[in-house]
Amino acid sequence: MSKKVHLISLGCNKNLVDSEVMLGKLYSYEITDEQANADVTIVNTCGFIEAAKEESINTILEASANRKENSLLVVSGCLSERYKEELIEALPEVDIFTGVGDYERIDELIANKQTSFTPDVYLANENSKRVITGSRYHAYIKLSEGCNQNCSFCAIPSFKGRLKSRTIDSVIAEVSSLIEEGFRDFSFISQDTSSFGRDLGNKDALIDLIKQVELLPGIKSARVLYLYPSTTTKELIDAIADSTIFKTYFDMPIQHISDNMLKTMKRGAGKDKTIDLLEYMKSKENAFIRTAIIAGHPNESEEDFLELKEFIKDFGFDRVTVFEYSNEESTHAYNLEQIDKETIRKRADILGEIAKDLMLKSNSKLIGKEIELIVDGTSNEHELLLSSRATQWAPEIDGEIYINDTNDKPVEHGEYYIAKITELADTTPLATLIKKIWLTLKL
């Protein structure tokens, strides 16, 4: 009887790729969703901000309480890397600790019951066997690790290091292999995706990659996540908008819009450049624009906040993620005079309401339109509804579309369809299926 492994992946989808690599290395184990049956439980942690750290610690403690007798508890990832000494001392119930460098050695560490913190940050490549989770048709492709930016609020460079990119050939080889396995939809990710390849001497590597991905037979749709204002060019925006495979999807976390705050945050691009890029994105046909902002960063005056609030409300983003400022040691902002937590919370709540209104407005524009979508399966909302996602949207973060009328057509999960949006249920679009499609449409 094979041993069983239960893996909990926390944080971002970049972390998920590393989790999938670990599952690939543990091919001799049966993957189980029931931790009580697992011989090994792995918690791949996130250590980005305070809320993520709390979630990671609580998950570790819960996993320890629910583990099977004589099973192993393994803690890996960013939190483990960032606080290795403190966690080893504070959590004796954990059997194995490892950080962000040993994902491909996880089988060896478990076999030897060994804690290890390799100093180099691991970056998956075309030879990294992964077990893709959560989808039969979509996969995340990690382009690089680390970051050359010096944002005042971000601790990632302190434990992930400087930018380390894969070669274009490595990425193409991985995507080609996954296409052969049946995957047709891809999201390309990293800490700063628009800087991909710059450490290898190619400032246009992402443009070159887009052009090469378009030539791959079998791929139907793709998108780029996490563009950075100081390294995003109009040529890159054109490459995305003109692509027959990549959706006209722009995900650029601006964090703020006040020049005072952008300078304090060490963002490398001021208000004028940021707005110029956003307006250029907006000028592209059927553009979908997502951003992220921080409320309550040190030195954010009431005037700065009002400027941000009015810009976010007026620009017309399709999606906005709002973060409360988290004061992280090893960052430049850590020693700045802090804004009180109540003010931070109030500002985040105000921005959060604006974000909800923007999502409603964006989805309302779809009513009466025919769009391309992928059917995922039965909705968690109701057994008579099918859950789907517009191919232009990123998985998990942009929402779902409920199909409440199939027109008596047979439906295959993981397949592409044309559907008409008829109305909204709260902010969620409802759709009627029109036909199955075989060719990628540019939306």
Side-chain angles (χ1 to χ4, degrees):
M1 182 182 296
S2 63
K3 290 187 176 181
K4 297 180 179 181
V5 60
H6 177 76
L7 190 144
I8 305 168
S9 189
L10 303 175
C12 66
N13 290 313
K14 298 180 287 294
N15 218 33
L16 178 63
V17 171
D18 297 325
S19 295
E20 292 172 345
V21 168
M22 287 194 284
L23 290 178
K25 292 299 294 184
L26 297 171
Y27 60 89
S28 63
Y29 284 72
E30 178 186 340
I31 301 171
T32 178
D33 291 331
E34 300 295 331
Q35 191 201 349
N37 298 328
D39 300 285
V40 176
T41 296
I42 303 173
V43 180
N44 197 18
T45 60
C46 177
F48 180 43
I49 58 177
E50 190 61 34
K53 290 185 283 188
E54 291 179 3
E55 180 187 20
S56 291
I57 293 296
N58 290 336
T59 301
I60 293 168
L61 295 175
E62 183 178 354
S64 177
N66 295 333
R67 64 197 289 191
K68 185 173 78 172
E69 187 177 359
N70 297 322
S71 65
L72 291 178
L73 177 58
V74 183
V75 172
S76 63
C78 295
L79 185 77
S80 185
E81 182 72 37
R82 190 175 177 190
Y83 300 103
K84 53 178 76 79
E85 292 86 2
E86 296 93 328
L87 291 179
I88 289 173
E89 181 178 350
L91 297 171
E93 53 266 75
V94 176
D95 299 293
I96 298 170
F97 282 98
T98 185
V100 296
D102 291 300
Y103 296 115
E104 209 161 48
R105 293 181 59 228
I106 193 66
D107 53 341
E108 174 189 336
L109 300 184
I110 289 173
N112 297 325
K113 297 183 180 179
Q114 175 189 358
T115 285
S116 175
F117 289 92
T118 297
D120 294 331
V121 178
Y122 175 78
L123 176 58
N125 57 44
E126 72 276 19
N127 298 315
S128 304
K129 180 64 178 176
R130 291 164 56 192
V131 175
I132 308 298
T133 60
S135 177
R136 295 179 298 173
Y137 66 85
H138 172 268
Y140 292 98
I141 305 296
K142 188 188 288 192
L143 300 183
S144 64
E145 267 294 0
C147 185
N148 284 349
Q149 309 299 338
N150 298 297
C151 299
S152 62
F153 51 84
C154 184
I156 288 176
S158 69
F159 59 90
K160 283 291 187 84
R162 307 297 284 175
L163 179 69
K164 178 185 176 183
S165 298
R166 298 169 61 179
T167 64
I168 292 176
D169 287 346
S170 171
V171 176
I172 292 298
E174 181 185 13
V175 175
S176 298
S177 177
L178 288 170
I179 290 172
E180 290 180 3
E181 294 179 27
F183 292 90
R184 292 154 293 169
D185 182 53
F186 298 90
S187 296
F188 292 82
I189 58 175
S190 55
Q191 270 83 34
D192 172 11
T193 307
S194 48
S195 288
F196 167 64
R198 293 192 172 211
D199 56 315
L200 302 179
N202 183 359
K203 67 180 182 64
D204 293 322
L206 188 54
I207 295 175
D208 294 340
L209 176 63
I210 289 170
K211 292 177 180 178
Q212 290 199 35
V213 168
E214 289 180 328
L215 300 176
L216 295 176
I219 188 170
K220 287 193 173 184
S221 50
R223 64 207 57 78
V224 176
L225 306 186
Y226 316 129
L227 302 176
Y228 195 96
S230 68
T231 53
T232 296
T233 63
K234 291 184 177 179
E235 290 76 16
L236 174 58
I237 294 170
D238 286 339
I240 293 171
D242 294 341
S243 172
T244 57
I245 295 296
F246 283 80
K247 299 303 174 183
T248 310
Y249 182 99
F250 302 108
D251 174 27
M252 190 171 75
I254 64 171
Q255 309 305 357
H256 218 285
I257 201 59
S258 157
D259 265 327
N260 172 54
M261 291 310 303
L262 292 173
K263 183 176 181 180
T264 299
M265 290 177 163
K266 298 182 178 291
R267 292 291 287 166
K271 175 180 179 178
D272 289 345
K273 179 178 181 179
T274 301
I275 292 177
D276 185 46
L277 288 172
L278 289 171
E279 291 289 354
Y280 195 68
M281 293 172 181
K282 197 175 184 180
S283 71
K284 300 302 180 180
E285 186 177 1
N286 295 319
F288 186 99
I289 305 177
R290 160 178 278 281
T291 195
I293 52 178
I294 295 174
H297 186 285
N299 290 350
E300 184 186 57
S301 67
E302 187 66 23
E303 291 74 20
D304 293 325
F305 170 69
L306 291 176
E307 183 177 358
L308 173 64
K309 184 185 77 169
E310 291 306 312
F311 178 76
I312 294 298
K313 184 165 58 176
D314 295 340
F315 177 78
F317 291 100
D318 294 281
R319 300 289 188 272
V320 178
T321 298
V322 180
F323 291 99
E324 294 184 16
Y325 171 76
S326 177
N327 198 30
E328 300 297 318
E329 64 270 28
S330 78
T331 66
H332 172 77
Y334 184 71
N335 293 315
L336 298 179
E337 184 177 351
Q338 304 295 306
I339 295 174
D340 66 274
K341 291 186 177 180
E342 183 61 27
T343 298
I344 293 175
R345 189 171 297 111
K346 286 180 179 178
R347 290 178 179 179
D349 288 344
I350 291 170
L351 295 172
E353 288 302 314
I354 294 172
K356 290 179 183 177
D357 185 55
L358 289 172
M359 182 176 180
L360 176 62
K361 289 179 180 178
S362 176
N363 287 351
S364 295
K365 294 176 184 177
L366 297 177
I367 296 175
K369 292 185 177 180
E370 295 182 6
I371 67 166
E372 182 186 64
L373 50 74
I374 311 174
V375 176
D376 282 314
T378 302
S379 169
N380 292 328
E381 184 70 19
H382 195 283
E383 61 183 10
L384 296 181
L385 295 174
L386 292 174
S387 176
S388 67
R389 170 177 60 86
T391 54
Q392 191 177 28
W393 296 359
E396 302 173 33
I397 59 174
D398 290 326
E400 61 183 327
I401 295 171
Y402 296 148
I403 299 170
N404 62 345
D405 186 354
T406 63
N407 262 330
D408 296 324
K409 300 180 183 298
V411 179
E412 298 177 63
H413 297 172
E415 291 298 332
Y416 290 61
Y417 293 84
I418 295 295
K420 184 174 183 178
I421 306 301
T422 56
E423 59 182 310
L424 298 185
D426 193 13
T427 61
T428 303
L430 298 179
T432 298
L433 285 189
I434 297 176
K435 63 181 179 179
K436 184 177 179 180
I437 57 175
W438 301 98
L439 297 175
T440 299
L441 304 179
K442 181 64 178 177
L443 295 178

